[in-house]
Amino acid sequence: MSTVPIESLLHHSHLRHNSRTCRGTRSFSPCSLNLRSRFTSSNKLLVLNSSIGSATSALGFRSSKSVVIRASSSDTAVVETSQSESDDVVFKENFSVQRVEKAEGKIYVRLKQVKENDWELSVGCSIPGKWILHWGVSYVGDTGSEWDQPPEDMRPPGSFAIKDYAIETPLEKLSEGDFEVNINLNLESSVAALSFVLKDVETGAWYQHKGRDFKVPLVDDIPDNGNLIGAKKGFGTIGQLSNIPLKQEKSGVEVEKESKSAPDSTIERKGLQEFYEEMPISKRVADDNSVSVTARKCPETSKNIVSIETDLPGDVTVHWGVCKNGSKRWEIPSEPYPEETSLFKNKALRTRLQRKEDGTGSFGLFSLDGKLEGLCFVLKLNENTWLNYRGEDFYVPFLTSSSSPVETEAAQVSEHTPKTDKEVSASAFTDEIITEIRNLAIDISHHKNQKTNVKEVQENILQEIEKLAAEAYSIFRSTTPTFTEESILESEDEKPEIKISSGTGSGFEILCQGFNWESHKSGRWYLELQEKAKELASLGFTVLWLPPPTESVSPEGYMPKDLYNLNSRYGTIDELKDTVRKFHKVGIRVLGDAVLNHRCAHFKNQNGVWNLFGGRLNWDDRAVVADDPHFQGRGNKSSGDNFHAAPNIDHSQDFVRKDIKEWLCWMREEVGYDGWRLDFVRGFWGGYVKDYMDASKPYFAVGEYWDSLSYTYGEMDYNQDAHRQRIVDWINATSGAAGAFDVTTKGILHAALQKCEYWRLSDPKGKPPGVVGWWPSRAVTFIENHDTGSTQGHWRFPEGKEMQGYAYILTHPGTPAVFFDHIFSDYHSEIASLLSLRNRQKLHCRSEVNIDKSERDVYAAIIDDKVAMKIGPGHYEPPNGSKNWFVAVEGRDYKVWESS
């Protein structure tokens, strides 16, 4: 769980309007670019009058007509036209977008005396939202950090239980605007402390105190781990319950019952002191907006007239270019341009939209050459806020069947090449089929507009479309040229076939770790994650890593017990399966976290040692390795390092491997997992992993091989070949059937960024110094995960330099993994831009890196000869030459360029 501000989930909807192709009508006469607007509050009419003079005639518009734009119920203006006028429309779209802003406020905690023996603890938040207090208590005599549920009389109205360990209570809105919940403290109970986190239901964000749960101590001897509220500042708490007998072997609930049944005289409480504390917080607040785009073909000039209108507040700048020759590569069109248009680095144009007089948004008109194929744009609100649509540029296509195609050089040459009779007849016939299909589609739209019972009619029309499509395809097959073996080989050289391997996936994968160390606490993490499926897909992620699904002694899932019991603190098996289905629906594959190295036992042996297992896999102590003295196993010696917190499984046993393979295959079939994240693979030989991968046939698999890098007198060594060799050896033992997290790269990034020693990022041979420099296709690069960061913080990435780390791994080869806490934080927009660039430039796990600079204060590299990047405070610019470079993404001490 992270304390950084969390950005809300962005919900995108794609609403397509009925658009008709141009049939040559001349009834629509748009206005010129020199507009005068009149917008009244009573009828919300916007009259766009055409200017008199050369500007109007230059665009080929009639000057005798005005276009009336009436605001719809959603305050989005729409053009009122007749049926004949709408025929000029070649594109009409209403895009839903969200503008995300940062709201700042506070969380406050207050303890006050209500009556002589009645005290009240209040927890509140000043930022608007749907807030829930997720809380529990610890009782006198409890050991460990697990929560218990409070007594019934302590729970505020509206509270509900989360399984057997927590309570959730909604915060109520106060008259002054804050949100607050009040908890009555029962002085006769044996509650020793109250712990809580605050949850924002709208974003799924959890707010903690210094990376840990808030904790209000109610006795004097609560250890301070940096998260205590009240007592540490000397405001006082409930006095020590000195007369309550502490029996360590009894549960907190039992102790509570004993204390309640004891006479009041057995409990001595010292006086309470009131306190008030507040902590600043911030969150991302999303406002829904829309962008309406209409493109018309001017019948007199054949120009494309594009109208862009939005209800976004403030100044809105359209950053745009046009498309030619069958690609969506931005180009600058010829003049004239709209008013307030400027050239941006010879790569794009920027046009500020005109504000509406009533302040409800802005609008603009663009007159473009009729032979262009489309308009691409993004919206710029300020230097740090850009809006696109579902991770891609807004795109307005112009060409229709009735439009004249753009004449490329290839098309001009083909005009002089006579067509065969077969080619002419086939072309004419397929044109007729396309026309018929279009007319049938228009008929469907017509029936919808009539609001009649048209289900049967539509089904008949769709059947006709399918028949025509099949006919067109047969013609296509009959006219498809044959290829020689040589031409096929040449084609494969140009576009190599994507081969799927469990060690690489497609090679273009981007992994999202879909949880943190605290995700289990809600008891419904699977359901919360489902709500983020569309957003994660829109960001460009292709693979999601879910937490361990099995019953576990530890709530996080990494101490598994019954492998076939998939009801965990994250949710039920049905919720898990539904989550996998929802991510599959948006095109994201899902990895299960498989803990195969160790397993917690159900029973003790005759010596009182926990090494006998229950459930469906009721193994005895032969399944436990023999060289771990803690668990007295009767198996063979371990093939790796021992994990001393639980019995280590002996994978050399045939019955163990058979059962694990059956379990993995069951998980693939029953849950729908596409692959695996393998926990603590240092504990067993990689050859066993190959056996498991061959059996379960995952789409993608990655192992966690984490051990210490090389240090001398506390300083990290420059040469980390021995460290990455151990990881590569493990991958090699799996025969490449699984990749591995590139721990070497993470460690070197730590030293390079923290001490400004960027020379570390190039090995003696001028290659990346981690696993990605030796076996990039099997390297899964990352900067943080649930162990290294989150609330554990075992090896936290240098603070404030996270985006330099992502600029490195999201531009370099390997399969990059992005941590959940970073996605939904202040880094969201920067990470989104880097993800978009990686997908746009088709960088992959085998991309070629040429390190251009690795000095004390700067590292720079060029990847696949089309992306350049630098991290560090030092200066770097890509070399001038045959390529033109322009900045795609930049931030604090990093910059990424694309080539044109």
Side-chain angles (χ1 to χ4, degrees):
M1 188 184 303
S2 174
T3 59
V4 295
I6 306 295
E7 181 172 336
S8 301
L9 174 64
L10 305 180
H11 299 285
H12 298 288
S13 61
H14 193 239
L15 180 63
R16 179 169 292 280
H17 296 264
N18 177 31
S19 60
R20 306 286 291 272
T21 56
C22 176
R23 287 187 171 83
T25 177
R26 292 174 172 268
S27 59
F28 175 67
S29 302
C31 63
S32 76
L33 295 178
N34 187 11
L35 300 175
R36 175 172 63 86
S37 64
R38 175 168 56 84
F39 217 81
T40 66
S41 59
S42 57
N43 57 13
K44 293 187 177 179
L45 282 176
L46 174 61
V47 181
L48 304 180
N49 294 329
S50 59
S51 300
I52 300 174
S54 59
T56 305
S57 58
L59 293 174
F61 299 157
R62 294 176 181 172
S63 60
S64 60
K65 191 167 183 177
S66 296
V67 182
V68 179
I69 301 181
R70 184 178 300 278
S72 69
S73 59
S74 62
D75 287 338
T76 301
V78 295
V79 179
E80 294 183 345
T81 61
S82 65
Q83 179 64 41
S84 60
E85 288 173 336
S86 67
D87 287 344
D88 288 327
V89 175
V90 296
F91 178 85
K92 188 172 184 179
E93 197 80 37
N94 187 55
F95 300 95
S96 295
V97 296
Q98 283 195 333
R99 174 174 49 89
V100 180
E101 294 184 337
K102 186 176 181 180
E104 296 184 344
K106 63 183 179 182
I107 293 175
Y108 60 85
V109 184
R110 179 178 60 243
L111 180 66
K112 67 177 182 179
Q113 185 175 14
V114 180
K115 295 180 181 179
E116 182 178 357
N117 291 318
D118 292 334
W119 291 76
E120 183 179 74
L121 182 71
S122 301
V123 180
C125 180
S126 64
I127 300 180
K130 188 176 180 181
W131 298 96
I132 285 181
L133 188 74
H134 183 85
W135 63 289
V137 300
S138 56
Y139 291 96
V140 173
D142 281 354
T143 59
S145 60
E146 287 295 297
W147 296 2
D148 284 316
Q149 290 185 344
E152 291 283 349
D153 58 0
M154 193 173 175
R155 306 176 190 182
S159 301
F160 53 94
I162 301 297
K163 298 188 177 178
D164 60 350
Y165 59 88
I167 295 293
E168 287 195 348
T169 306
L171 274 65
E172 296 183 357
K173 186 175 182 179
L174 304 180
S175 57
E176 57 268 27
D178 289 349
F179 293 77
E180 187 176 282
V181 63
N182 300 313
I183 299 173
N184 293 321
L185 298 179
N186 182 356
L187 302 187
E188 296 182 356
S189 73
S190 59
V191 174
L194 186 148
S195 300
F196 69 89
V197 292
L198 200 60
K199 178 183 177 184
D200 179 6
V201 177
E202 295 173 346
T203 65
W206 296 79
Y207 292 86
Q208 293 182 293
H209 183 47
K210 298 181 179 180
R212 297 177 179 271
D213 305 335
F214 290 89
K215 194 165 191 174
V216 180
L218 305 179
V219 295
D220 292 337
D221 57 351
I222 298 295
D224 187 356
N225 294 320
N227 60 335
L228 295 187
I229 302 294
K232 65 181 189 303
K233 289 193 175 181
F235 291 108
T237 57
I238 298 176
Q240 182 177 358
L241 307 183
S242 56
N243 289 346
I244 294 180
L246 305 182
K247 297 183 179 180
Q248 298 291 344
E249 295 180 357
K250 296 186 178 182
S251 69
V253 176
E254 291 172 333
V255 172
E256 180 207 2
K257 289 179 179 178
E258 288 185 3
S259 65
K260 279 190 171 182
S261 62
D264 292 345
S265 60
T266 61
I267 301 177
E268 292 184 1
R269 295 187 181 271
K270 298 179 180 179
L272 291 177
Q273 291 184 359
E274 297 182 344
F275 73 81
Y276 175 86
E277 283 196 44
E278 61 182 43
M279 287 65 64
I281 64 166
S282 62
K283 65 174 274 190
R284 294 290 188 176
V285 179
D287 292 325
D288 293 321
N289 296 101
S290 65
V291 179
S292 297
V293 181
T294 304
R296 290 182 169 82
K297 181 72 69 175
C298 178
E300 298 181 5
T301 64
S302 295
K303 286 183 174 292
N304 294 302
I305 310 300
V306 181
S307 166
I308 299 177
E309 184 169 357
T310 179
D311 59 357
L312 288 163
D315 289 333
V316 179
T317 298
V318 181
H319 185 86
W320 61 285
V322 297
C323 306
K324 301 177 182 178
N325 303 330
S327 75
K328 291 186 181 179
R329 183 182 295 274
W330 289 32
E331 297 187 27
I332 298 176
S334 56
E335 298 189 49
Y337 304 139
E339 292 183 1
E340 296 195 58
T341 297
S342 60
L343 184 64
F344 178 74
K345 297 184 178 180
N346 292 320
K347 297 299 178 185
L349 295 171
R350 286 183 173 177
T351 301
R352 192 173 72 170
L353 298 180
Q354 300 179 46
R355 289 200 190 184
K356 298 176 186 177
E357 289 185 354
D358 67 347
T360 60
S362 51
F363 65 94
L365 282 181
F366 299 76
S367 175
L368 302 170
D369 192 295
K371 293 184 179 181
L372 296 173
E373 295 184 11
L375 169 71
C376 289
F377 69 92
V378 293
L379 298 178
K380 179 175 180 283
L381 304 186
N382 54 54
E383 289 303 321
N384 298 316
T385 306
W386 296 74
L387 294 180
N388 56 20
Y389 185 68
R390 295 186 175 181
E392 301 291 339
D393 302 337
F394 292 95
Y395 178 63
V396 183
F398 294 150
L399 287 183
T400 66
S401 60
S402 59
S403 305
S404 301
V406 179
E407 290 188 359
T408 63
E409 292 181 5
Q412 294 171 1
V413 171
S414 66
E415 287 180 357
H416 304 287
T417 305
K419 294 183 178 180
T420 64
D421 292 340
K422 185 176 182 180
E423 288 173 330
V424 172
S425 61
S427 176
F429 191 43
T430 52
D431 285 345
E432 291 176 7
I433 292 175
I434 292 170
T435 302
E436 284 191 57
I437 292 175
R438 182 177 294 110
N439 291 335
L440 288 169
I442 292 173
D443 287 343
I444 292 178
S445 179
H446 173 72
H447 284 294
K448 284 182 178 179
N449 291 336
Q450 294 297 320
K451 297 182 179 179
T452 59
N453 186 13
V454 296
K455 184 176 181 180
E456 183 177 351
V457 176
Q458 290 182 9
E459 288 178 352
N460 292 334
I461 292 174
L462 290 172
Q463 289 176 2
E464 290 298 318
I465 290 175
E466 289 176 357
K467 292 177 182 177
L468 291 168
E471 194 171 358
Y473 181 73
S474 65
I475 296 171
F476 164 77
R477 292 295 297 169
S478 65
T479 58
T480 300
T482 58
F483 296 94
T484 64
E485 183 177 354
E486 290 78 7
S487 65
I488 293 174
L489 291 173
E490 290 175 1
S491 176
E492 288 179 348
D493 288 340
E494 293 174 1
K495 295 183 179 179
E497 180 184 357
I498 296 177
K499 295 182 179 180
I500 305 299
S501 163
S502 59
T504 63
S506 67
F508 293 87
E509 310 302 340
I510 303 177
L511 176 63
C512 167
Q513 179 176 359
F515 64 99
N516 60 35
W517 192 247
E518 306 293 332
S519 296
H520 67 278
K521 286 192 172 178
S522 70
R524 55 191 304 275
W525 182 249
Y526 294 142
L527 299 179
E528 295 175 18
L529 202 55
Q530 289 178 20
E531 299 172 359
K532 301 185 183 297
K534 290 184 179 178
E535 181 181 7
L536 292 174
S538 71
L539 289 171
F541 289 105
T542 63
V543 179
L544 176 75
W545 162 19
L546 288 181
T550 58
E551 176 198 17
S552 171
V553 171
S554 65
E556 298 82 12
Y558 288 99
M559 299 285 280
K561 194 172 182 182
D562 185 353
L563 298 186
Y564 279 92
N565 182 357
L566 301 188
N567 295 309
S568 70
R569 288 286 182 89
Y570 299 101
T572 66
I573 181 175
D574 291 332
E575 292 168 349
L576 170 60
K577 291 194 285 190
D578 192 41
T579 300
V580 172
R581 282 193 294 269
K582 281 186 167 58
F583 275 93
H584 283 170
K585 191 174 181 180
V586 298
I588 294 180
R589 300 178 190 269
V590 180
L591 304 185
D593 201 326
V595 184
L596 304 180
N597 175 75
H598 51 272
R599 182 184 171 195
C600 292
H602 293 70
F603 312 106
K604 297 179 182 179
N605 67 3
Q606 65 274 16
N607 299 324
V609 176
W610 294 91
N611 61 10
L612 302 177
F613 304 92
R616 183 165 165 181
L617 302 182
N618 54 346
W619 301 332
D620 59 20
D621 52 6
R622 292 174 301 155
V624 180
V625 297
D627 51 349
D628 185 351
H630 296 85
F631 297 102
Q632 299 180 6
R634 292 193 297 121
N636 296 312
K637 288 187 177 182
S638 176
S639 57
D641 296 330
N642 280 324
F643 178 77
H644 296 296
N648 285 248
I649 300 304
D650 179 11
H651 293 265
S652 70
Q653 302 284 1
D654 291 340
F655 73 90
V656 168
R657 291 201 308 278
K658 175 180 175 294
D659 286 347
I660 288 178
K661 287 186 284 188
E662 288 180 356
W663 176 68
L664 290 172
C665 291
W666 176 79
M667 295 264 280
R668 290 269 279 140
E669 183 176 350
E670 182 70 18
V671 179
Y673 283 128
D674 301 288
W676 316 112
R677 181 267 184 186
L678 303 168
D679 183 66
F680 198 78
V681 296
R682 278 174 45 205
F684 54 104
W685 179 48
Y688 299 134
V689 172
K690 181 186 185 305
D691 194 17
Y692 300 145
M693 298 304 101
D694 289 346
S696 60
K697 295 180 173 55
Y699 173 84
F700 184 81
V702 55
E704 179 209 30
Y705 195 101
W706 180 9
D707 67 355
S708 179
L709 279 74
S710 301
Y711 292 83
T712 301
Y713 302 116
E715 292 292 324
M716 180 181 290
D717 296 341
Y718 165 66
N719 189 324
Q720 294 293 333
D721 287 354
H723 185 268
R724 59 174 165 174
Q725 184 66 60
R726 292 193 293 273
I727 299 175
V728 167
D729 287 345
W730 179 86
I731 300 171
N732 193 48
T734 73
S735 298
F741 287 107
D742 193 349
V743 180
T744 316
T745 290
K746 173 177 168 64
I748 294 172
L749 281 170
H750 273 240
L753 274 58
Q754 200 162 32
K755 298 185 176 182
C756 200
E757 296 175 346
Y758 291 85
W759 46 266
R760 291 180 176 272
L761 294 172
S762 177
D763 71 8
K765 295 183 179 180
K767 298 291 185 182
V771 178
V772 73
W774 277 1
W775 202 343
S777 67
R778 299 305 192 272
V780 177
T781 53
F782 72 107
I783 71 166
E784 208 77 287
N785 62 29
H786 62 289
D787 285 322
T788 65
S790 190
T791 54
Q792 292 202 95
H794 290 323
W795 194 26
R796 200 177 299 279
F797 202 78
E799 185 177 1
K801 302 180 186 296
E802 290 87 351
M803 284 312 305
Q804 290 189 60
Y806 282 121
Y808 183 93
I809 69 171
L810 288 174
T811 57
H812 279 53
T815 299
V818 183
F819 186 40
F820 186 87
D821 288 3
H822 292 160
I823 299 168
F824 298 98
S825 73
D826 283 341
Y827 300 135
H828 182 281
S829 60
E830 293 177 86
I831 291 174
S833 298
L834 288 170
L835 290 169
S836 177
L837 177 141
R838 185 177 183 89
N839 284 316
R840 183 169 64 248
Q841 292 294 345
K842 294 181 172 54
L843 302 180
H844 52 85
C845 68
R846 297 180 178 88
S847 288
E848 182 181 351
V849 179
N850 290 306
I851 298 176
D852 204 17
K853 204 171 188 180
S854 56
E855 299 176 357
R856 182 189 63 81
D857 61 350
V858 65
Y859 166 87
I862 296 176
I863 302 91
D864 283 349
D865 206 28
K866 54 188 177 183
V867 171
M869 60 79 66
K870 80 97 179 177
I871 56 176
H875 176 75
Y876 173 79
E877 292 289 334
N880 293 323
S882 59
K883 291 185 177 296
N884 294 320
W885 298 94
F886 63 95
V887 176
V889 189
E890 62 180 316
R892 180 182 174 186
D893 290 338
Y894 78 90
K895 189 178 290 189
V896 183
W897 296 261
E898 292 179 278
S899 67
S900 60

